[in-house]
């Protein structure tokens, strides 16, 4: 992870990793069957760092809000690894365990398993889209300077000008959209929980 963070994914080869660890590349094959397993392990490490061992906060909404925030932070902390998250399936033992734990918690909150999985995928997809825009722009959580300096005139673009002048930061927009999603999910709950 440190090598990819420092030098990018192109630098990540078994030979380069072996040199980084002070061993021959062939030694790594005693621990990993190949580079695909290494890449899958990186995705697992990144995603499981964000996943709580078990939800259990005051409410399922707080749990999902916390997970979305932790996943966003984890992905933004490793922008060089982000392409792996969107191109490799996250089907590893650690990721499957984290998903099972999340589904268990959502089940206790009254969501049927299929609905709980839809909710989890929706939150993950929302976070990945949000992070993709930030990683692509290299801005992190800063407002879009192109929009701010686009020469908006209130006469031509009155609503857009007013919205930009209001100065809502990306984090606030993220929170607004996430809360709207969570409110929508409420309609899929069974009365009284599982």
């Amino acid at each position: 992870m440190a090598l990819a963070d420092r030098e990018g994914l192109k630098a990540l080869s078994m030979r380069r990793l072996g040199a980084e660890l002070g061993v021959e590349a062939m030694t790594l094959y005693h621990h990993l069957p190949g580079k695909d397993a290494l890449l899958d392990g990186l995705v697992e490490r990144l995603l499981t760092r964000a996943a709580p061992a078990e939800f259990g906060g005051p409410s399922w909404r707080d749990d999902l809000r916390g997970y979305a925030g932790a996943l966003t932070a984890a992905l933004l902390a490793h922008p060089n690894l982000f392409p792996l998250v969107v191109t490799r399936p996250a089907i590893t033992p650690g990721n499957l365990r984290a998903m099972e734990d999340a589904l268990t918690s959502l089940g206790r909150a009254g969501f049927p398993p299929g609905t709980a999985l839809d909710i989890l995928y929706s939150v993950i997809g929302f976070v990945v889209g949000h992070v993709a825009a930030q990683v692509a722009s290299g801005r992190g959580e800063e407002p879009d300077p192109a929009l701010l300096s686009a020469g908006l005139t209130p006469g031509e673009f009155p609503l857009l000008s007013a919205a930009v002048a209001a100065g809502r930061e990306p984090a606030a927009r993220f929170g607004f959209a996430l809360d709207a999603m969570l409110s929508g999910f409420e309609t899929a709950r069974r009365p009284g929980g599982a």
Side-chain angles (χ1 to χ4, degrees), residues 78-172:
H78 302 282
N80 287 342
L81 295 176
F82 184 73
L84 291 178
V85 173
V86 297
T87 59
R88 300 194 71 79
I91 302 173
T92 63
N95 285 334
L96 294 175
R97 174 56 39 213
M99 289 179 72
E100 184 72 15
D101 291 343
L103 296 179
T104 298
S105 296
L106 289 169
R108 281 195 300 266
F111 294 100
T115 301
L117 185 59
D118 290 344
I119 289 169
L120 193 56
Y121 279 148
S122 295
V123 170
I124 292 168
F126 173 68
V127 168
V128 167
H130 174 75
V131 171
Q134 292 184 19
V135 168
S137 70
R139 289 190 320 270
E141 284 289 331
E142 300 169 17
D144 184 346
L147 190 57
L148 294 175
S149 66
L152 296 175
T153 60
E156 188 175 4
F157 302 104
L159 299 177
L160 188 54
S161 296
V164 169
R168 185 176 278 199
E169 297 292 322

Side-chain angles (χ1 to χ4, degrees), residues 47-52 55 61-74 95 98-99 102 119-121 123-124 127 174 178:
L47 295 180
T48 57
R49 280 186 174 180
F55 289 177
R61 285 180 187 225
D62 290 341
D63 289 342
L64 285 175
R65 199 175 287 112
Y67 173 61
L71 182 57
T72 299
N95 285 334
M99 289 179 72
I119 289 169
L120 193 56
Y121 279 148
V123 170
I124 292 168
V127 168
F174 177 84
L178 181 61

